[in-house]
Amino acid sequence: MTIRDIIVRYSKELEEISSTPRLDVETLLQKVLNVDRLYILLNLDKSLSKEEENLFNKFIEERLNNRPIAYIVGNREFMGLDFYVQEGVLIPRGDTEILVEELLSIINEDEELNICDLCSGSGAIGISLAMNRKNIKVDEIDNYDIPEKVTKSNIVKHGLENRVKFIKSNLLEEVIKVGKKYDIIVSNPPYIKACEIEGLMDDVKLYEPHVALDGGEDGLIFYRRIIEESRLTLNENGILAFEIGHDQGLDVRILMEEAGFSNVKLVKDLAGLDRVLLGYFKY
């Protein structure tokens, strides 16, 4: 089969499960052939070898079973950077770039700050901040083995071993033990209500880690804990910044203000939905 044949046939087959069927096929072809997208577009009449076709067939079968593209190819772009991902970490999403961009608008180019990326997953938030601000130091914190492996791999991938470290901890427990303080704590915690997990799309529900999705009965369990623990780990006027669910803006704002955070700011995403909250801590 030629590249054109494969794109036409499998784009059609993926229409029922994917909003980007052609892009999915092209991405799998890029992985199989180890080429960029431009090569695919300029070589539509190229035929795959038997070995390449077998590998593509394996990948497309996984995709037809709703396995996310990022897990199949092992990477996802975020903030213009390439991140290694695997099952066991949440796939970085474009919506989360709004959280990173908001913080970059606050952090000066030459500022020296200590930052914590809490519930780090792949490390995408903290690493993106460090890649864009050359004088900050970042602790990536997560409590599970696969995020530790993936985050450490991405730290090395982006050459940040001197400024970005991984700490294995149940939220901020290990940091509190040693009395470390941060200028900014940023987190995209699990925030989906437990009762809503079953209603998620199959590629999310079946493959992405539920521990990175499930925010308890009301979706706020991790916000409560992080807000409380951040009061022990933020410097005066330190910033706490969250990604939030589309209907959580008011609830999380109240939790932050009741805990002593001021100038709490809500940022909406491109669809006009609540996406980011950040506030300043006063002793």
Side-chain angles (χ1 to χ4, degrees):
M1 295 179 73
T2 65
I3 289 175
R4 178 183 282 103
D5 294 335
I6 288 172
I7 291 174
V8 170
R9 174 179 172 180
Y10 290 104
S11 295
K12 188 70 175 174
E13 289 198 23
L14 285 174
E15 282 180 356
E16 289 188 11
I17 67 161
S18 174
S19 60
T20 56
R22 177 172 177 140
L23 182 60
D24 287 3
V25 176
E26 291 177 358
T27 301
L28 295 180
L29 284 167
Q30 287 175 237
K31 180 69 174 179
V32 168
L33 299 173
N34 194 28
V35 297
D36 60 19
R37 187 163 183 249
L38 182 60
Y39 178 94
I40 298 294
L41 299 177
L42 293 178
N43 291 273
L44 294 174
D45 293 323
K46 172 184 166 58
S47 294
L48 271 62
S49 70
K50 191 63 179 175
E51 184 179 67
E52 290 167 344
E53 201 168 312
N54 287 340
L55 183 56
F56 178 83
N57 288 338
K58 174 181 178 293
F59 287 165
I60 198 69
E61 184 177 350
E62 292 177 5
R63 185 68 188 109
L64 287 166
N65 285 319
N66 287 292
R67 190 175 185 215
I69 284 284
Y71 290 153
I72 298 172
V73 301
N75 69 285
R76 169 58 64 91
E77 182 182 306
F78 180 83
M79 292 294 296
L81 303 169
D82 186 57
F83 287 91
Y84 163 60
V85 295
Q86 69 171 76
E87 286 183 48
V89 298
L90 200 67
I91 298 168
R93 287 164 165 79
D95 287 339
T96 305
E97 292 185 354
I98 295 166
L99 176 59
V100 176
E101 288 165 352
E102 185 64 27
L103 289 175
L104 290 175
S105 73
I106 294 170
I107 304 169
N108 295 326
E109 290 282 348
D110 57 352
E111 220 170 347
E112 297 181 7
L113 299 175
N114 288 316
I115 296 176
C116 170
D117 175 10
L118 187 58
C119 307
S120 66
S122 65
I125 293 174
I127 288 170
S128 296
L129 290 171
M131 289 293 287
N132 283 279
R133 294 292 181 266
K134 304 305 181 185
N135 292 325
I136 68 172
K137 293 183 178 179
V138 179
D139 284 344
E140 303 275 11
I141 297 182
D142 209 300
N143 197 35
Y144 298 94
D145 291 339
I146 294 178
E148 177 177 13
K149 171 194 167 187
V150 172
T151 295
K152 285 181 174 178
S153 175
N154 281 321
I155 290 169
V156 173
K157 181 184 181 79
H158 292 95
L160 292 170
E161 298 94 321
N162 292 332
R163 293 193 293 121
V164 182
K165 308 295 182 188
F166 181 87
I167 298 173
K168 192 171 187 179
S169 174
N170 184 354
L171 296 184
L172 292 164
E173 284 183 3
E174 298 304 315
V175 175
I176 291 170
K177 286 179 185 177
V178 299
K180 186 164 187 178
K181 300 278 188 176
Y182 296 105
D183 300 297
I184 298 174
I185 295 174
V186 55
S187 184
N188 178 17
Y191 60 69
I192 297 173
K193 294 176 183 177
C195 64
E196 295 178 355
I197 298 289
E198 276 303 307
L200 297 174
M201 293 175 61
D202 283 349
D203 54 352
V204 177
K205 176 176 63 179
L206 299 177
Y207 291 96
E208 297 203 55
H210 285 202
V211 294
L213 299 169
D214 190 342
E217 185 176 347
D218 62 359
L220 302 174
I221 184 171
F222 286 95
Y223 293 113
R224 292 189 184 92
R225 281 193 58 192
I226 292 168
I227 289 168
E228 189 60 34
E229 293 182 11
S230 69
R231 298 172 77 248
L232 304 174
T233 48
L234 276 173
N235 289 320
E236 174 76 9
N237 291 318
I239 295 170
L240 177 60
F242 286 122
E243 177 170 332
I244 58 172
H246 67 91
D247 57 352
Q248 295 175 320
L250 179 60
D251 290 334
V252 179
R253 176 193 288 273
I254 290 170
L255 291 173
M256 292 180 72
E257 290 176 343
E258 287 179 345
F261 287 86
S262 61
N263 299 322
V264 178
K265 178 183 179 182
L266 173 66
V267 182
K268 294 184 180 291
D269 62 21
L270 296 177
L273 302 174
D274 295 356
R275 182 59 58 188
V276 169
L277 267 180
L278 61 88
Y280 295 79
F281 181 63
K282 306 286 187 183
Y283 283 107

